[in-house]
Amino acid sequence: MKSLPYFCRGAVVRGFGRGSKELGIPTANFPESVVDNLPSDMKTGIYYGWACVGNSDVHRMVMSIGWNPFYKNTKKSMETHIIHTYKEDFYGETLSIAILGYIRPETSFNSLDALIKAIHNDIEEAKKQLDMPEHQKFKDDDFFSTSKKEIMNGH
Ligand code: ADP
Ligand code: RBF
Ligand code: MG
């Protein structure tokens, strides 16, 4: 994919609330404006990369881009699961992400359990990929420190 790595940021908005409740895997959802800005060659599916909430630390992430075929959503979404335990929700805060690689297409699984298992596999795959030096370097990219400066300056 020509557009990778792809960097973007936006406010965290509310979705259907299914991630934490039904799957046990919370996903921070981006607004439509961020979804609409995706380059046309970014196909739908599951990706890995780095994520940072507000001016805090950069963590590993997995994300889904698409229509969640298991739930037959009608709106395309971009949802990021950060591989880190947060004490509180962070709706309204700025989420900055670097999308580095593609894992698999979105699938309509036969059961909720199969979907959850697949997401846990994605998390393991992301950890393996992100340990590699060519992916590690993006953790320290200026993009993440810029977001910190902008937030501290009140932009
Ligand atoms: P929604 O449908 O509103 O996105 P979710 O059940 O997917 O609801 O939960 C997502 C929310 O959970 C995020 O917006 C964020 O505030 C919070 N959250 C807590 N921990 C995480 C995490 N590790 N990754 C992503 N979001 C998290
Ligand atoms: N939804 C699907 O319908 N099919 C998938 O294959 C799928 N894979 C996902 C993989 C990851 C890593 C994540 C974070 C989400 C995935 N989802 C998938 C989206 C999931 O259905 C969605 O996060 C919840 O419905 C909460 O909005
Ligand atoms: Mg969500």
Side-chain angles (χ1 to χ4, degrees), residues 16-20 23 25-27 29 46-47 62-64 67-73 77 79-81 103-109 115 118-119 122-123:
F16 297 107
R18 289 180 193 133
S20 324
L23 306 176
I25 304 155
T27 58
N29 293 40
I46 314 309
Y47 292 82
V62 278
M63 70 178 303
S64 103
W67 288 271
N68 301 0
F70 183 77
Y71 289 101
K72 301 188 172 63
N73 286 358
S77 69
E79 304 179 27
T80 305
H81 171 68
I103 303 179
R104 63 174 175 89
E106 284 195 299
T107 309
S108 180
F109 293 95
L115 172 61
I119 298 177
D122 297 331
I123 292 172

Side-chain angles (χ1 to χ4, degrees), residues 13-151:
V13 299
R14 282 185 191 274
F16 297 107
R18 289 180 193 133
S20 324
K21 284 194 208 83
E22 282 184 37
L23 306 176
I25 304 155
T27 58
N29 293 40
F30 274 129
E32 257 175 85
S33 55
V34 176
V35 182
D36 292 344
N37 263 327
L38 277 174
S40 52
D41 74 315
M42 289 268 294
K43 53 184 177 188
T44 60
I46 314 309
Y47 292 82
Y48 61 83
W50 299 105
C52 162
V53 176
N55 63 357
S56 66
D57 298 343
V58 180
H59 296 286
R60 298 175 288 201
M61 66 80 166
V62 278
M63 70 178 303
S64 103
I65 300 179
W67 288 271
N68 301 0
F70 183 77
Y71 289 101
K72 301 188 172 63
N73 286 358
T74 53
K75 254 204 224 158
K76 188 175 177 181
S77 69
M78 281 172 79
E79 304 179 27
T80 305
H81 171 68
I82 305 169
I83 306 175
H84 178 73
T85 305
Y86 289 89
K87 288 198 194 82
E88 283 173 5
D89 286 351
F90 44 84
Y91 289 107
E93 292 208 45
T94 300
L95 172 65
S96 302
I97 63 169
I99 308 174
L100 301 188
Y102 184 79
I103 303 179
R104 63 174 175 89
E106 284 195 299
T107 309
S108 180
F109 293 95
N110 291 325
S111 67
L112 191 62
D113 200 48
L115 172 61
I116 294 169
K117 280 215 180 88
I119 298 177
H120 286 294
N121 272 335
D122 297 331
I123 292 172
E124 289 316 306
E125 178 63 21
K127 286 179 177 170
K128 219 188 288 168
Q129 292 290 338
L130 291 164
D131 266 352
M132 302 202 284
E134 67 260 41
H135 292 140
Q136 275 284 324
K137 66 176 187 211
F138 289 103
K139 192 181 180 183
D140 306 313
D141 196 278
D142 275 352
F143 172 74
F144 291 116
S145 41
T146 317
S147 75
K148 284 181 199 174
K149 274 182 232 145
E150 282 174 5
I151 288 161

